[in-house]
C-alpha cells in the first residue's frame, strides 16, 4: 500500500528531489511501480534503491525509465540480484540518457567482461 502511494506521489511531485528506499523489504513488482512513476516525474534527482529485491526484470524497467526521464542525476542500485543481462539493459539506456551522472551497480551479479557498452 505504501509503495502505491509513493508511486502516485512521484507522478505529480513538485518538491521531492531525493528518495531513499534503502533496504525496503518489498516485492520487486512494488518497486517497479515506483520506477514506472519516474517516467513522468520532472523533479527527482537522486534515487537510492540500495539493497532491495531487484533483478533483471527490474533492470529492464529501470532502463526504460532512464530513456525518458531527463531529471535523474544519481541512481544507486548497489546490492541487487542484477546480472549481466540486466546490466546490459541499463548500459543501452545510458547511450540515450543525458542527465544521469552517477550510477552505482556494485555488489550485483554482473560479469563485466560480458556486460559492456558497444
Amino acid at each position: 500500500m505504501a509503495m502505491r502511494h509513493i508511486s502516485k506521489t512521484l507522478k505529480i511531485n513538485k518538491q521531492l528531489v531525493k528518495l531513499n528506499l534503502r533496504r525496503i523489504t518489498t516485492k520487486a513488482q512494488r518497486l517497479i511501480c515506483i520506477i514506472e512513476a519516474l517516467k513522468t516525474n520532472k523533479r527527482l534527482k537522486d534515487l537510492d534503491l540500495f539493497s532491495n529485491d531487484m533483478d533483471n526484470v527490474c533492470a529492464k524497467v529501470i532502463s526504460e525509465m532512464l530513456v525518458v526521464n531527463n531529471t535523474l542525476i544519481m541512481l544507486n542500485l548497489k546490492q541487487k540480484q542484477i546480472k549481466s543481462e540486466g546490466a546490459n539493459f541499463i548500459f543501452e539506456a545510458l547511450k540515450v540518457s543525458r542527465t544521469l551522472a552517477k550510477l552505482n551497480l556494485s555488489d550485483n551479479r554482473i560479469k563485466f567482461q560480458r556486460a559492456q557498452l558497444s
Side-chain angles (χ1 to χ4, degrees):
M1 192 73 149
M3 292 297 180
R4 205 170 343 161
H5 290 301
I6 292 171
S7 67
K8 286 180 183 179
T9 301
L10 285 172
K11 289 179 183 177
I12 59 170
N13 170 52
K14 303 269 191 244
Q15 301 297 322
L16 188 67
V17 294
K18 182 174 183 173
L19 181 59
N20 184 341
L21 295 174
R22 285 176 164 238
R23 299 179 187 197
I24 301 291
T25 52
T26 190
K27 295 181 180 177
Q29 187 61 38
R30 291 186 179 140
L31 290 170
I32 286 173
C33 291
I34 289 176
I35 297 162
E36 289 281 348
L38 290 175
K39 288 181 178 180
T40 58
N41 181 280
K42 304 291 186 214
R43 187 78 175 140
L44 196 72
K45 298 194 180 304
D46 186 338
L47 178 60
D48 192 340
L49 294 170
F50 171 84
S51 191
N52 285 303
D53 187 25
M54 297 179 80
D55 56 13
N56 287 343
V57 173
C58 293
K60 174 103 171 94
V61 176
I62 288 169
S63 71
E64 293 165 357
M65 177 271 297
L66 288 173
V67 169
V68 296
N69 179 293
N70 60 5
T71 57
L72 198 64
I73 295 170
M74 199 292 290
L75 179 59
N76 185 1
L77 298 174
K78 184 177 180 179
Q79 287 189 354
K80 305 275 172 267
Q81 301 300 314
I82 298 171
K83 297 179 181 172
S84 298
E85 177 187 9
N88 278 327
F89 293 138
I90 293 170
F91 294 156
E92 286 299 316
L94 291 177
K95 292 178 180 179
V96 178
S97 175
R98 298 290 179 231
T99 56
L100 195 69
K102 185 175 181 183
L103 173 64
N104 185 349
L105 282 169
S106 62
D107 297 328
N108 277 281
R109 297 179 177 192
I110 301 167
K111 295 180 180 177
F112 281 100
Q113 67 272 13
R114 287 182 42 218
Q116 297 177 0
L117 287 170
S118 54

